[in-house]
Every structure is written in structure tokens, then in C-alpha cells.
Amino acid sequence: MQDTLQRLVAFPERRGMATQVIWNGNDVDGFYTSHLVTGSGRHTQFSHLGKPTNRTFVTRTVADCMIHENKIYREWVVSDNMSLMKQLGLNTDEIAFNMAKEQFDKGFRVTDIGENGRMLGQYPPEMVCDVSIAHTDTEEQCLRWMHEIYNRRMLGKIKEVYAPNVQWHGPLMKELYGTASVTHQTLALIGMIPDGAWLPQHICSNPCDEGGTKVAIRWIIEGHHLGYGELGKPTGKRLFVMGMSHYHIINGKIVDEWVLYDHLALLAQIKLGQMEEA
């Protein structure tokens, strides 16, 4: 609530418009919902971001909620904060440093122990995907696709499972089209974290009035910043990515994908690791 109030102070004109909700559950056991929200507004007030810039913005957020008796009791939120700060004209490097410094002063440190799901060296990842969290055949199929692409690095699979005219909506408010774009953006992520292991944490789906099925996956990638990309020169620091993906599947093909993770949070993790090293 405190964080929400701070955002309201900074952006009192902001409106959050529901793009879609994918869910499962019932009124006895409770519900799991994945909300994709498009927010727009203007930076008009003094706040934790400093002096108002009066610039407008459009950003996306996904909030996954566990609900029982009409009460949200657990929530995961991913916001495209890097896109927001860039649109406001703010210094993202400075903001990431301040985020890291706040955590560092509280005693938080980077935890870099144990296996991350990918074996060291040139050993391959698990051949078979764990589909125990799936509830339907479509969800199982989607998990297997993503395991092939992200963990086994079978990038040729993208042309098989994505429609030729797929629409891709990604971080930094990117709007791209076609399987080549999906391949490019997938490489951009795994190229930054080449030892990263993709792990799905939750999946749900609903039939869609437009035809086909919409599927929501909450996932993480754990690894190290070992490659070039949108975070700049490799630092070797440990990274933990939490992401949300919404897929629209028609006739066995992904025709629409919304994927969200926050580059600003990743940059702050790098800064925290560098503070600890210093």
C-alpha cells in the first residue's frame, strides 16, 4: 500500500486500463488471476523521483494475485519501470544505483550459491520439461515449447510454434511482428544471461472469445550477467529475473505474446553486486 501511495503521489493523473485477465480457480478454493494492465499518465508532482518532469508516459504491468474470499493474500508484480523512467527523461543509471544503495544500507547482499538449473560447462539441460503445474493439454504444450526454446536453446522451434504474423509486445514498450522478431528478442534475453535457467512457477489459461486459448505463465530466470545486451558490458553479477508472459494460441500457434520483465530491477541487482564487491 505504501508503494502504491508513492506512485499515486508522483502520478495522480495515471489511469490503469485492464488489457486482459487470465485466471483459474473457484469460489471455494480461491482464485489465481494474472492481470495485464496498460497504464498512462503524466509526471506532475514532487515524489521519490524528485522534481516533476511533466512528461507523459505509457507503460505495462502484470500483477498475479492469489485470492480467497474476495481478499488478495499474495501478489507478484512486474512493471516496466525502465521504460517509465526513460519516458520521463530520468537518469536510469542513477535511479538503479539509489535502489541498490537503499537495499545495501539495509544489509541486503547478493546471494550466489548453488546450481541455477543449468549444469556447468557444456552439459545439456533437462531433456524433458516438468509439466506438473499444468492443468490442461494446452498448458502442457506451452510449457514444453518454452522449455525447448529457453532451456534447450532450440531457437528453430520459434518458427514452428509461433504464427508467421505473430504480434510481440515486450519490455521497453516494444511492439514487434513476425517470428524473426521473436527470435531476436529471445536471443537478447538469453544472450545477456547465457547460463540462465528458465523455470515456470505458475500457469493458467482460459478459452478466448476471439477464438483459441489465452495462457499466462509466471517464470524466473537465474544466472549471471555474462553477455552484452540492453544492460551494457557484461559484469558477471548474479541476476534473478521474474517475468510474466501472456500467450494467445489459436490452432496450435502462438498469434500474440505479451512478455514483461524489468531491466531497471536487473540493473539495480548489478549495482548491488558491485557495491558488495567494492
Side-chain angles (χ1 to χ4, degrees), residues 3-224:
D3 181 63
T4 300
L5 287 172
Q6 289 299 310
R7 284 187 286 125
L8 289 173
V9 168
F11 315 120
E13 297 178 0
R14 181 187 180 275
R15 293 189 63 194
M17 293 155 283
T19 304
Q20 62 190 17
V21 182
I22 304 173
W23 60 277
N24 64 8
N26 56 66
D27 58 359
V28 175
D29 302 316
F31 295 92
Y32 186 101
T33 61
S34 185
H35 302 245
L36 172 61
V37 177
T38 302
S40 64
R42 194 160 55 102
H43 183 206
T44 59
Q45 299 295 322
F46 283 90
S47 67
H48 62 293
L49 297 174
K51 181 181 178 180
T53 63
N54 290 309
R55 293 194 181 191
T56 59
F57 63 87
V58 178
T59 60
R60 287 191 280 260
T61 299
V62 177
D64 279 22
C65 302
M66 295 181 72
I67 303 163
H68 191 257
E69 295 183 353
N70 290 324
K71 299 289 185 182
I72 297 172
Y73 65 92
R74 196 170 186 186
E75 183 178 19
W76 297 260
V77 180
V78 176
S79 297
D80 194 354
N81 289 312
M82 180 67 88
S83 173
L84 173 61
M85 301 309 162
K86 285 180 176 291
Q87 290 178 64
L88 298 183
L90 301 178
N91 186 326
T92 54
D93 196 71
E94 180 181 337
I95 291 172
F97 178 88
N98 291 336
M99 291 168 59
K101 185 67 164 57
E102 181 180 356
Q103 298 301 310
F104 186 83
D105 290 344
K106 291 178 180 178
F108 287 97
R109 299 294 184 266
V110 175
T111 302
D112 192 2
I113 58 175
E115 297 290 343
N116 67 352
R118 290 184 67 84
M119 296 179 68
L120 300 177
Q122 296 300 311
Y123 291 99
E126 294 291 337
M127 293 294 290
V128 180
C129 173
D130 181 1
V131 296
S132 59
I133 63 173
H135 311 90
T136 67
D137 291 342
T138 299
E139 292 178 12
E140 285 190 16
Q141 184 182 49
C142 197
L143 288 174
R144 290 192 177 99
W145 288 346
M146 296 307 120
H147 177 75
E148 289 284 298
I149 294 168
Y150 283 99
N151 286 333
R152 300 192 66 211
R153 309 294 163 85
M154 306 293 285
L155 297 178
K157 193 76 175 177
I158 290 173
K159 283 189 175 182
E160 295 180 23
V161 303
Y162 285 82
N165 61 341
V166 59
Q167 299 182 59
W168 189 89
H169 321 267
L172 305 176
M173 295 304 292
K174 291 180 181 178
E175 296 287 338
L176 302 173
Y177 302 88
T179 54
S181 294
V182 177
T183 302
H184 182 276
Q185 296 304 309
T186 303
L187 274 170
L189 177 57
I190 62 178
M192 286 192 300
I193 316 172
D195 67 338
W198 184 86
L199 176 66
Q201 294 188 313
H202 189 273
I203 187 169
C204 56
S205 62
N206 300 122
C208 179
D209 291 341
E210 306 162 41
T213 303
K214 289 195 174 181
V215 180
I217 302 179
R218 172 168 53 85
W219 50 267
I220 61 171
I221 290 179
E222 289 187 272
H224 296 82

